[in-house]
Amino acid sequence: MKNVSVIGGGTMGNGIAHVFAMSGFEVTLVEAKQQFLDKALDAIEKNLDRMLSKQKISNDDKKATLQRIHSTLNTVEGVMKADLVVEAIPEQFDLKKKVFQEVDENAPKHTILASNTSSISITKLAAQTKRPDRFIGMHFFNPVPVMKLVEVINGLETSEETTQTVMGLAEKLGKVPVSADDSPGFVSNRVLMPMINEAIFCVYEGVAEPEDIDQVMKLGMAHPMGPLRLADFIGLDVCLDILNVLYDGFKDPKYRPCPLLVKMVDAGKLGDKTGEGFFKYD
């Protein structure tokens, strides 16, 4: 496996392209608009410069990594030679469905299709293609070049060969793959999002201030980042999307998003990306 196509150059997509290219794979990054591609490539270069300044890589490593990254605005062109396609676009099923149907029609028959989705059913996405046995979840974590975990999610028809291939690929990236079966929120978000949601309920009900809630979890539970700071970092809109997937998937009221979270998303206070969430950012 030599050629990897990454669909989407946002925070997750450019990070995924970065780690594959740095590990020796030829990467084609696909975006919808040139401005998004330019932003993605700029982010990759800045992250490599950060690694260079910390002496984690050499200047030759940086140059070689950038040379392995190719870009295009044409999905068909972008996946024609791919051995693996990793989708990293927004958490909207209809949007992912459209992308995977186009990729399925144009990628080689041997190509494995993977989604970086953090909550949408891998089985449901796989069913939109003619290769459900070669469809899998590769859930990376932000920031991708730093975080070690990759949740490898098996759909109902994912073959054992596909799972083992992707687990091996993750290890080649220097990651630690953990395999799980398809279920709303998988493992990470099924555990994490209810905690974040409960922290938001504590704010909503006036139990404590955001700073104090985070302090309790950092000092009392040894969390490196408090749940509300983490929610801002993830994006409150993303947290809401995941909670809605959990709520719809399990029909269990324990996953009901806190009304305060809904209001903040409606107000455009999404966290780091907008400069304000539970905390304010410059």
Side-chain angles (χ1 to χ4, degrees), residues 201-209:
F201 266 111
C202 285
V203 178
Y204 181 59
E205 296 169 3
V207 176
E209 293 298 316

Side-chain angles (χ1 to χ4, degrees), residues 196-197 200-201 204 231 235-244 247 255-270 278:
I196 286 176
N197 199 40
I200 298 171
F201 266 111
Y204 181 59
L236 300 190
D237 52 338
V238 176
C239 292
L240 180 58
D241 285 344
I242 296 170
L243 281 164
N244 280 328
Y247 189 49
Y255 299 112
R256 176 177 67 92
C258 178
L260 176 58
L261 175 60
V262 177
K263 283 184 179 180
M264 291 180 72
V265 172
D266 286 345
K269 296 182 178 182
L270 308 181
F278 287 99

Side-chain angles (χ1 to χ4, degrees), residues 29-46:
L29 185 58
V30 182
E31 253 297 357
K33 295 182 179 179
Q34 187 62 47
Q35 68 194 74
F36 298 152
L37 267 182
D38 293 342
K39 185 177 180 181
L41 295 170
D42 183 58
I44 292 169
E45 185 160 10
K46 284 181 178 176

Side-chain angles (χ1 to χ4, degrees), residues 50 52 128 228 237 248 276:
R50 192 173 294 115
L52 185 61
Q128 313 309 311
L228 298 171
D237 52 338
D248 292 341
E276 183 177 359

Side-chain angles (χ1 to χ4, degrees), residues 28-90:
T28 300
L29 185 58
V30 182
E31 253 297 357
K33 295 182 179 179
Q34 187 62 47
Q35 68 194 74
F36 298 152
L37 267 182
D38 293 342
K39 185 177 180 181
L41 295 170
D42 183 58
I44 292 169
E45 185 160 10
K46 284 181 178 176
N47 286 330
L48 287 168
D49 283 337
R50 192 173 294 115
M51 295 177 77
L52 185 61
S53 68
K54 294 179 179 179
Q55 298 184 326
K56 292 185 176 181
I57 61 171
S58 67
N59 198 53
D60 286 344
D61 293 330
K62 173 191 169 182
K63 189 180 298 183
T65 298
L66 291 174
Q67 287 175 344
R68 293 189 197 103
I69 299 174
H70 318 282
S71 61
T72 181
L73 302 177
N74 187 312
T75 302
V76 175
E77 177 185 299
V79 303
M80 285 179 65
K81 297 180 180 179
D83 299 307
L84 170 72
V85 176
V86 182
E87 165 272 314
I89 63 176

